[in-house]
Amino acid sequence: MAPSKITKVSEFFLLGFSEEPALQPLIFGLFLSMYLVTLFGNLLIILIVISDPHLHTPMYFFLSNLSFIDVCFTSTTIPKMLQNIWKESQTITYEGCIIQMHFFILFAGLDDFLLTVMAYDRFVAICHPLYYTVIINPQLCVILVLVSWVISVLDSLIKTFMVSRLSFCRDVLIPHYFCEPKQLVQLARSDNRLNEMVMYFAAGLLGGGPFAGIFYSYCKIASSICGISSVQGKYKAFSTCVSHLSVVSLFYGTCLGVYLSSAATHSSHSSTIASVMYTVVTPMLNPFIYSLRNKDIKRALQAFFRKAALKRPTVVGKRREHNLNFQSLRVRNYKSLIRIFDQTVER
């Protein structure tokens, strides 16, 4: 399709994964399943951390925030894609695309910063255990999360403002299932060199900075673990950070894989498929990684479901008791009516 005249664009076309009608039900079912699993797993982590007093610690405070952000991150892209498949449409409004891009950048940045904060938490816990409660206090936890929000909001606002100033053709085909910032900048018909410079600079600063912090923290953690004399002590120290290390490896590994593969192949379709790893698969797997590799979460899950199972028979019993009381009341009222009727007849 030849590009139309440059004007104020009202909507974009999201090409998604495939235009084959036979594949749409399969794609819809697959992504709906992954989205529901992501919602259930992350919301369950949040509920368990809130309900269990033993998990009211800095580590699980950060974990519950990460779960909340993962829910928001996935909800930024997947519902719109499912809606388009269901309605057999590929359109997204210009305003909707800008808003989606804004929240995508926001929650991706928050994911990055929170993983860094969690790495710092593990660094203090293992390298300075005696001062852990003094350094990682509730006030610092809130400040770290707030700073992450402020930086991510400013970053997303700046990038969104710069993209909103670009000019597009009337019919813009985005070879992706959401409004990916890099794709939007490349499809602009106006001068986008400043936008590309800002994006690469921000990626290096806000992506490379947190990664350097995580790398430094784990270098110090590895050094401290090597200094522990007992094998049991080394295992215990390593087990406290293995879940976080797995999530970091999954997040950064998939992000780097997507951008390196797209740069090498220059194929938008392969980049679209690869981006599913960090936008959908990683948020979906995070709760399983933390629940399967963490004894505290396992214990809290068992206690939560045990408590829920104990409450159910009580509710059923109360309902039965209420029904029996209601039936006995009906019988008594019926007998009273019969007596009144008999007395009336005798008179």
Side-chain angles (χ1 to χ4, degrees):
M1 184 184 296
S4 303
K5 178 179 158 180
I6 296 177
T7 182
K8 175 66 177 176
V9 67
S10 60
E11 62 182 16
F12 296 109
F13 294 89
L14 298 171
L15 299 183
F17 295 97
S18 174
E19 297 185 36
E20 291 291 331
L23 292 177
Q24 299 309 309
L26 176 63
I27 295 172
F28 182 86
L30 178 63
F31 278 86
L32 178 62
S33 302
M34 289 194 294
Y35 181 60
L36 292 177
V37 170
T38 303
L39 287 183
F40 175 76
N42 285 287
L43 292 176
L44 184 61
I45 290 288
I46 296 170
L47 181 62
I48 287 170
V49 171
I50 292 172
S51 61
D52 194 331
H54 296 96
L55 300 181
H56 293 175
T57 61
M59 176 181 172
Y60 296 107
F61 170 74
F62 296 135
L63 176 60
S64 61
N65 276 273
L66 181 67
S67 295
F68 171 74
I69 289 163
D70 280 341
V71 168
C72 297
F73 186 42
T74 311
S75 300
T76 303
T77 56
I78 301 303
K80 179 58 183 175
M81 186 196 72
L82 295 175
Q83 181 191 20
N84 282 359
I85 295 174
W86 182 262
K87 292 185 175 181
E88 298 181 354
S89 170
Q90 293 180 319
T91 60
I92 182 171
T93 63
Y94 174 80
E95 293 78 11
C97 187
I98 294 297
I99 291 170
Q100 186 185 67
M101 186 196 71
H102 168 75
F103 284 107
F104 173 80
I105 296 171
L106 170 64
F107 293 120
L110 278 169
D111 245 340
D112 196 10
F113 282 112
L114 267 180
L115 289 174
T116 309
V117 169
M118 293 172 77
Y120 175 69
D121 172 73
R122 292 299 84 207
F123 160 71
V124 177
I126 294 174
C127 299
H128 306 285
L130 298 177
Y131 299 99
Y132 178 75
T133 54
V134 177
I135 298 173
I136 309 294
N137 53 66
Q139 292 80 10
L140 181 64
C141 294
V142 173
I143 289 170
L144 289 173
V145 172
L146 284 177
V147 169
S148 300
W149 272 92
V150 169
I151 296 174
S152 299
V153 167
L154 289 175
D155 176 51
S156 60
L157 284 174
I158 291 170
K159 290 179 180 176
T160 303
F161 173 73
M162 295 192 69
V163 171
S164 66
R165 295 177 67 251
L166 295 174
S167 300
F168 296 90
C169 293
R170 187 175 300 164
D171 300 316
V172 181
L173 305 178
I174 302 176
H176 221 293
Y177 66 94
F178 68 95
C179 293
E180 207 267 337
K182 186 179 176 183
Q183 293 283 351
L184 281 176
V185 172
Q186 290 177 349
L187 290 169
R189 290 299 172 183
S190 55
D191 187 9
N192 59 9
R193 285 176 295 180
L194 179 61
N195 292 69
E196 288 184 342
M197 287 174 59
V198 170
M199 281 196 164
Y200 284 121
F201 176 76
L205 183 65
L206 303 180
F211 180 77
I214 293 171
F215 183 75
Y216 174 80
S217 297
Y218 274 103
C219 285
K220 288 292 185 180
I221 288 170
S223 177
S224 296
I225 290 175
C226 290
I228 299 173
S229 56
S230 66
V231 177
Q232 187 178 0
K234 289 181 179 180
Y235 175 78
K236 186 177 179 181
F238 181 72
S239 63
T240 61
C241 57
V242 66
S243 298
H244 176 260
L245 188 58
S246 302
V247 172
V248 168
S249 303
L250 191 62
F251 180 78
Y252 277 101
T254 52
C255 287
L256 289 173
V258 167
Y259 286 100
L260 289 177
S261 64
S262 63
T265 61
H266 299 285
S267 172
S268 57
H269 183 68
S270 61
S271 174
T272 302
I273 295 173
S275 65
V276 175
M277 291 300 297
Y278 73 91
T279 57
V280 184
V281 176
T282 301
M284 181 183 70
L285 292 181
N286 284 354
F288 294 99
I289 293 172
Y290 275 100
S291 60
L292 294 176
R293 304 288 302 181
N294 192 299
K295 291 181 180 179
D296 293 333
I297 295 290
K298 282 183 183 178
R299 180 194 51 75
L301 277 170
Q302 291 170 356
F304 177 79
F305 287 117
R306 195 182 303 117
K307 191 183 295 183
L310 289 173
K311 282 183 179 180
R312 190 175 178 182
T314 305
V315 173
V316 173
K318 285 182 179 179
R319 286 180 180 173
R320 286 179 180 173
E321 184 181 351
H322 175 73
N323 291 335
L324 289 173
N325 291 335
F326 182 72
Q327 289 175 4
S328 62
L329 180 63
R330 288 178 61 186
V331 170
R332 285 198 299 271
N333 291 338
Y334 181 70
K335 289 179 179 179
S336 299
L337 288 173
I338 291 175
R339 282 199 302 271
I340 293 169
F341 179 76
D342 291 341
Q343 289 173 3
T344 306
V345 170
E346 288 175 1
R347 289 175 184 173

